[in-house]
């Protein structure tokens, strides 16, 4: 007999996973903790996801696809790396404002040392994306020849996502100024200075 999916329960599982990642980090998140948060048995969760990584990959695939599309669009429509980085950071800030727990979970996962093991597709997408950013920066002469794809990946991931992660420690009243256009420009300058 085929499994009958219960869309609302699946969404509850995903939200429970996001909240658990935010609270305990990737390593502190377990199937049991997610199931408890979602008020279902671990066995129920295993009916839909074989592993914690499979559930997380399902949750994050939407955000990963959105970031990938934004970068591709930015590469086509930006005249400079500065413009591309700025639009990317502003896009991240929009996610923070519209879905704060998803943004924080994504930041936690991106900053995890072994993200390519957590979500294997991210590593593949990242390499293509960061290689394209590197080539664009070389073409616009904003990067010199000594900059590598790994340099771009490190800077473009660590600085904005580190900032997002760190900013959630502030009160909700402070979040509006923390995720402002002025702060986005400051992060872009930090990224560009790191890549000089």
């Amino acid at each position: 007999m085929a499994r009958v999916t219960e869309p609302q329960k699946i969404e509850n599982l995903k939200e429970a996973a996001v909240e658990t990642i935010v609270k305990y980090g990737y390593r502190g998140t377990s199937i049991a903790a997610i199931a408890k948060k979602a008020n279902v048995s671990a066995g129920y969760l295993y009916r839909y996801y074989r592993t914690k990584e499979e559930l997380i990959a399902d949750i994050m695939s939407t955000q990963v696809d959105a970031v990938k599309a934004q970068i591709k669009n930015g590469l086509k429509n930006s005249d400079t790396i500065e413009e591309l980085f700025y639009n990317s950071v502003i896009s991240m800030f929009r996610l923070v404002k519209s879905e704060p727990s998803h943004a924080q979970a994504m930041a936690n996962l991106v900053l995890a040392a072994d993200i390519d093991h957590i979500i294997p597709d991210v590593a593949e997408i990242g390499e293509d994306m960061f290689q394209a950013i590197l080539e664009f920066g070389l073409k616009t002469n904003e990067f010199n020849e000594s900059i590598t794809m790994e340099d771009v990946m490190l800077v473009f991931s660590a600085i904005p996502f580190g900032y997002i992660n760190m900013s959630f420690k502030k009160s909700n009243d402070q979040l509006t100024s923390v995720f402002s256009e002025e702060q986005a420009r400051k992060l872009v300058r930090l990224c560009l200075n790191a890549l000089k």
Side-chain angles (χ1 to χ4, degrees):
M1 186 168 120
R3 289 187 294 193
V4 176
T5 60
E6 300 173 60
Q8 189 56 52
K9 276 195 172 181
I10 299 298
E11 285 309 308
N12 291 347
L13 285 174
K14 290 178 181 180
E15 285 306 311
V18 166
E19 291 172 24
T20 306
I21 292 166
V22 167
K23 188 170 183 176
Y24 301 110
Y26 169 73
R27 284 175 186 74
T29 296
S30 66
I31 290 289
I34 295 167
K36 183 178 179 182
K37 180 78 176 161
N39 292 319
V40 299
S41 70
Y44 181 85
L45 199 150
Y46 280 119
R47 287 173 47 195
Y48 300 99
Y49 300 100
R50 290 175 296 192
T51 64
K52 167 177 80 170
E53 290 77 13
E54 189 177 293
L55 171 57
I56 292 169
D58 186 26
I59 294 166
M60 300 316 294
S61 66
T62 303
Q63 273 83 16
V64 169
D65 290 345
V67 168
K68 184 179 175 184
Q70 194 277 326
I71 296 290
K72 279 185 173 181
N73 185 48
L75 286 166
K76 288 181 194 170
N77 298 313
S78 300
D79 295 323
T80 64
I81 283 289
E82 183 173 0
E83 183 181 357
L84 173 67
F85 279 13
Y86 175 77
N87 290 331
S88 297
V89 170
I90 286 294
S91 178
M92 289 179 210
F93 282 9
R94 277 191 216 110
L95 177 63
V96 167
K97 291 174 183 177
S98 66
E99 297 183 74
S101 58
H102 283 258
Q104 191 173 9
M106 186 172 179
N108 282 340
L109 291 169
V110 167
L111 295 172
D114 53 356
I115 186 69
D116 55 333
H117 292 103
I118 301 168
I119 310 173
D121 296 344
V122 170
E124 183 181 314
I125 290 168
E127 287 181 15
D128 294 345
M129 189 173 56
F130 289 116
Q131 185 61 41
I133 292 169
L134 173 62
E135 290 168 10
F136 182 67
L138 291 170
K139 185 175 117 185
T140 63
N141 293 316
E142 291 172 273
F143 294 158
N144 66 48
E145 296 291 327
S146 68
I147 300 295
T148 66
M149 189 253 319
E150 289 80 10
D151 297 333
V152 175
M153 187 181 300
L154 174 66
V155 168
F156 195 73
S157 299
I159 293 175
F161 286 109
Y163 179 79
I164 288 169
N165 224 8
M166 180 183 73
S167 296
F168 275 102
K169 293 181 175 110
K170 299 185 185 280
S171 73
N172 286 341
D173 296 340
Q174 296 173 304
L175 288 181
T176 303
S177 63
V178 168
F179 298 113
S180 65
E181 288 185 24
E182 180 183 338
Q183 285 303 114
R185 292 192 191 290
K186 190 175 187 177
L187 284 178
V188 169
R189 282 192 303 275
L190 283 170
C191 289
L192 293 175
N193 287 338
L195 290 170
K196 286 188 179 184

